[in-house]
Amino acid sequence: MKAKVITSIGVVILVIALVFALKPKSFPKELKRTMENMDSYILQGNMEVNKGEEVKSYAVEVGYENKEKGFFKVSIVDKEINQEQIIIRNNQGVYVVTPSLNQVFKFEGDWPMNSPKPYLLQTIVDIVNQEKTEIEKKKDGYLIHAKVNYPNNKNFDHEEIMFDKKGQIKWLQIFNKDNQNEVKIVFQKVRYNVNLKKDYFKVPKELEKKVSKTRIKEDDLPLYPVQIFSSELQNVNKVNTGREVKHILEYSGNKNFTIVETKKHSVKDTQTVIMPGEMVDAMEIVGFYDGNHMSVIRDDVEFSVFSEELSPEEMMMVIQSMQVAVMK
């Protein structure tokens, strides 16, 4: 009799296991529950971002700890020029650490939960749990197909995400409306509920002096945007302030805006700069927005867009489209 009971229990467990294996729809709930019960995680991988004919490659590390509003740390290293940018959220605020300039920018805000981020596990779980997301059971895990909306990356239309059988993220790809690949992230290291070092989310008071290359030299400026919202370039000016040179481009037409480009140089001692505006990030670049202008530091160049007519998303689109122009 006892043997029959044990056999019956074994059959029930086997049936439940088969139901979960055959019903991909149960996967989003399990994944959401895992996220809700998670104390911390570390994701490490490689990210490729398509920029027309150029593919830029980055090393990415994302750390999270379930404290207060959540502690986050995102490190993105441009492999070609060995340049790192780190964003940290702790109980003192949000910081953007820029070793190449020996500067730390501090500001208030709800980053990173103010908008979806492809490399955040929270965003990935939200996408899996969308109503119209399709889940395909594979031999080695689950393949997710989903429509996406990234406010700061308007080209992103749909996404594929791969999980292994244990529910750990393996890779993701984001495509535009023409089904062309925009972003690919392959995760080499995924650890849930990991013990992070005590000072993992601490902002360094002094930055390590790192030598990095840059794609953009002073002689390359000004760069010109491809995205101009049907406006026309009216004036190009160059102003030498003594310490730095500012290149000013004025556009008018459908949308009026002004671009100011300045080559920045590393300061001798580490500086912490208090930023009054809101941080807006779009994959590999971070912008600071204060109502009528946005500034981004990329490849040690500060790009600022001033406009009463462009939205923050449109300003970011202008900056993202900057490139060396053949018209120079």
Side-chain angles (χ1 to χ4, degrees), residues 292-307:
N292 67 352
H293 105 274
M294 177 178 290
S295 291
V296 165
I297 295 177
R298 187 177 68 182
D299 288 346
D300 294 348
V301 176
E302 182 178 53
F303 298 94
S304 296
V305 178
F306 296 82
S307 177

Side-chain angles (χ1 to χ4, degrees), residues 117-171:
K117 312 288 186 291
Y119 43 72
L120 279 189
L121 194 57
Q122 283 83 349
T123 294
I124 294 167
V125 172
D126 286 344
I127 290 172
V128 173
N129 278 274
Q130 288 176 168
E131 187 177 345
K132 294 184 179 180
T133 292
E134 297 177 4
I135 303 169
E136 187 179 350
K137 183 75 171 65
K138 297 284 190 180
K139 273 187 178 181
D140 53 349
Y142 297 90
L143 179 61
I144 311 300
H145 306 269
K147 290 283 288 183
V148 291
N149 178 26
Y150 291 93
N152 300 328
N153 298 91
K154 294 295 186 181
N155 288 339
F156 296 176
D157 179 72
H158 57 282
E159 185 168 337
E160 290 184 352
I161 310 168
M162 187 69 199
F163 291 87
D164 66 15
K165 292 179 181 179
K166 296 179 181 179
Q168 291 196 332
I169 181 74
K170 301 298 291 179
W171 55 260

Side-chain angles (χ1 to χ4, degrees), residues 171-235:
W171 55 260
L172 65 85
Q173 293 189 88
I174 305 175
F175 304 88
N176 59 28
K177 289 181 180 179
D178 297 324
N179 208 37
Q180 295 171 326
N181 185 275
E182 293 276 344
V183 175
K184 181 178 181 180
I185 306 177
V186 177
F187 297 96
Q188 276 93 24
K189 184 177 180 181
V190 178
R191 296 172 65 192
Y192 298 164
N193 296 314
V194 60
N195 290 323
L196 297 170
K197 291 182 181 178
K198 188 177 179 181
D199 60 351
Y200 184 81
F201 298 98
K202 187 178 179 181
V203 178
K205 290 183 179 179
E206 289 191 15
L207 300 179
E208 255 183 69
K209 296 278 184 7
K210 290 187 178 180
V211 178
S212 64
K213 301 182 230 172
T214 177
R215 297 184 188 86
I216 307 172
K217 298 180 173 60
E218 181 70 56
D219 291 343
D220 295 326
L221 300 179
L223 273 60
Y224 295 83
V226 174
Q227 176 58 269
I228 57 176
F229 299 101
S230 300
S231 298
E232 293 184 0
L233 180 62
Q234 300 297 324
N235 293 298

